[in-house]
């Protein structure tokens, strides 16, 4: 009998070619696109900025976000399914988890959101920073929420130092925020942000910290903030956020105001679940600055979870 001819690489590769996209495939690509779009919104990045920092064209990003991603994504899913492995095992850019870590992650994934929150509290109390060690107060929220103006007044009312994280990041980098983004991109900004945050929270003297609006979208930095600071989410309506930004002299939202408002609402929608992890929420909607500052001080002092430096 003749020898069975070996399959050529081209023939073998052809077997991996996906069938015409099914409804399930389209749903999968749509979900991938939505995750990219939501991640971009949480970070407050425009598609143009993401295209510049990633080296991927705006056209492709638009296709990806609308569910028309590269078909190679489906090929990778076929390979993962053939080995009964999650796609993340091939895509992760970190070392593979050990058995104990993988088992722990599986157990966490099986919990409900409420149970996961309870687990976070247990881990924080058992292994993290105890609430009594939260020397600092951190204000989080979108730009225009009043983090700087209210933060300065809150610090004065409590006799604490006020820290504007944006200035600390600039000091860490030796560059302005615009220069960091223009020269090095968002990845470098996040590294400077984390270093500045760790330096500020390491100070023993308690302070009121105005955190960048997008900081909660970075899991590691946000976890550090939650562990080391009593966090307050300053809430406001999207229209008030935009109005306050314009009142500060930034007229960029006036150009294409409808689109800017839609982007702002999308960012807020993506960050709300993150902001909600704060120790306390305070609604500034419809309040004059002095009234809001006085109410915030009273609400903080009455909050059972906050221990003042004097206690």
């Amino acid at each position: 009998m003749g020898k069975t001819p070996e399959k050529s690489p081209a023939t073998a590769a052809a077997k991996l070619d996906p069938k015409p996209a099914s409804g399930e495939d389209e749903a999968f690509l749509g979900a991938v696109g939505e995750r990219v779009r939501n991640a971009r919104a949480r970070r407050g990045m425009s598609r143009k900025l993401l295209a510049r920092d990633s080296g991927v064209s705006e056209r492709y990003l638009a296709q990806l976000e609308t569910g028309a991603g590269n078909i190679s994504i489906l090929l990778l899913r076929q390979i993962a399914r053939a080995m009964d492995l999650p796609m993340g095992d091939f895509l992760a850019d970190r070392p593979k988890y050990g058995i104990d870590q993988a088992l722990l992650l599986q157990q966490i994934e099986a919990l409900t959101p409420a149970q996961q929150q309870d687990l976070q509290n247990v881990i924080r109390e058992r292994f993290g920073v105890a609430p009594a060690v939260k020397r600092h107060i951190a204000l989080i929220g979108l730009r225009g929420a009043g983090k700087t103006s209210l933060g300065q007044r809150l610090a004065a009312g409590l006799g604490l130092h006020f820290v504007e994280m944006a200035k600390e990041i600039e000091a860490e980098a030796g560059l302005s925020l615009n220069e960091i983004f223009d020269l090095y991109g968002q990845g470098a900004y996040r590294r400077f942000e984390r270093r500045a945050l760790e330096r500020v929270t390491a100070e023993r003297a308690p302070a009121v910290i105005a955190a960048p609006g997008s900081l909660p979208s970075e899991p590691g930095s946000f976890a550090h903030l939650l562990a080391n600071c009593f966090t307050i989410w300053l809430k406001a309506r999207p229209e008030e956020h935009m109005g306050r930004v314009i009142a500060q002299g930034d007229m960029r939202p006036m150009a294409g105001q409808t689109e800017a408002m839609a982007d702002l609402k999308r960012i807020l929608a993506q960050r709300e679940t993150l902001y909600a992890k704060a120790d306390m929420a305070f609604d500034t909607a419809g309040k004059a600055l002095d009234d809001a500052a006085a109410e915030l001080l009273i609400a903080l002092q009455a909050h059972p979870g906050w221990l003042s430096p004097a206690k």
Side-chain angles (χ1 to χ4, degrees):
M1 293 178 63
K3 191 175 180 181
T4 303
E6 294 183 3
K7 294 179 182 178
S8 70
T11 302
K15 285 200 168 187
L16 288 175
D17 286 343
K19 302 168 185 173
S22 64
E24 182 192 2
D25 290 338
E26 291 177 355
F28 174 73
L29 291 175
V32 171
E34 184 178 9
R35 289 169 194 152
V36 173
R37 185 170 62 251
N38 290 344
R40 181 168 62 79
R42 283 194 297 274
R43 284 161 175 73
M45 297 181 77
S46 67
R47 191 179 289 157
K48 182 176 182 179
L49 179 59
L50 180 56
R52 188 203 68 179
D53 287 357
S54 66
V56 175
S57 72
E58 284 188 66
R59 180 181 177 184
Y60 178 75
L61 286 175
Q63 291 175 335
L64 179 63
E65 292 185 1
T66 54
N70 193 304
I71 204 69
S72 61
I73 296 175
L74 297 180
L75 289 174
L76 181 58
R77 187 171 66 153
Q78 287 178 222
I79 294 170
R81 283 180 169 178
M83 291 188 282
D84 195 25
L85 291 171
M87 284 182 65
D89 283 7
F90 302 108
L91 298 174
D93 57 0
R94 68 182 75 180
K96 187 73 177 71
Y97 290 121
I99 296 298
D100 290 337
Q101 291 173 304
L103 179 59
L104 181 59
L105 287 174
Q106 287 181 7
Q107 293 170 331
I108 292 173
E109 289 173 354
L111 300 177
T112 66
Q115 290 172 326
Q116 290 180 6
Q117 183 63 56
D118 289 342
L119 178 61
Q120 287 181 31
N121 294 334
V122 171
I123 292 174
R124 191 178 303 163
E125 292 171 7
R126 177 80 183 272
F127 303 107
V129 179
V133 185
K134 290 186 176 183
R135 296 185 297 274
H136 311 291
I137 297 170
L139 305 181
I140 63 175
L142 287 182
R143 187 179 178 194
K147 290 174 292 183
T148 297
S149 52
L150 285 177
Q152 290 172 335
R153 285 166 172 75
L154 182 62
L158 294 170
L160 303 179
H161 180 54
F162 174 72
V163 175
E164 181 73 65
M165 276 300 302
K167 294 181 179 178
E168 297 300 323
I169 295 168
E170 290 181 330
E172 191 71 33
L175 299 166
S176 70
L177 295 183
N178 286 338
E179 288 172 330
I180 295 173
F181 282 107
D182 290 342
L183 294 174
Y184 303 112
Q186 185 161 131
Y189 167 81
R190 293 299 177 190
R191 291 192 292 273
F192 289 127
E193 178 184 67
R194 180 62 182 269
R195 294 211 298 257
L197 177 64
E198 291 175 347
R199 172 170 52 78
V200 167
T201 54
E203 293 290 335
R204 294 200 60 81
V208 175
I209 302 168
S214 63
L215 186 146
S217 66
E218 280 300 302
S221 296
F222 192 36
H224 184 88
L225 190 79
L226 292 172
N228 291 275
C229 304
F230 183 89
T231 52
I232 304 174
W233 174 21
L234 298 182
K235 306 172 63 175
R237 294 190 299 268
E239 294 77 11
E240 287 186 287
H241 281 292
M242 181 172 287
R244 291 169 185 173
V245 170
I246 293 172
Q248 293 168 5
D250 188 346
M251 301 303 293
R252 286 175 295 177
M254 293 302 292
Q257 188 168 359
T258 302
E259 183 178 350
M261 179 59 72
D263 285 343
L264 189 149
K265 289 180 178 179
R266 188 179 303 113
I267 292 171
L268 182 58
Q270 289 302 313
R271 291 183 187 166
E272 275 187 331
T273 55
L274 298 172
Y275 290 151
K277 294 182 182 297
D279 297 295
M280 169 183 161
F282 181 77
D283 198 338
T284 65
K287 296 175 182 175
L289 180 57
D290 289 339
D291 293 338
E295 290 180 27
L296 176 58
L297 179 58
I298 293 172
L300 174 63
Q301 292 174 326
H303 196 284
W306 182 64
L307 295 176
S308 74
K311 291 183 181 180

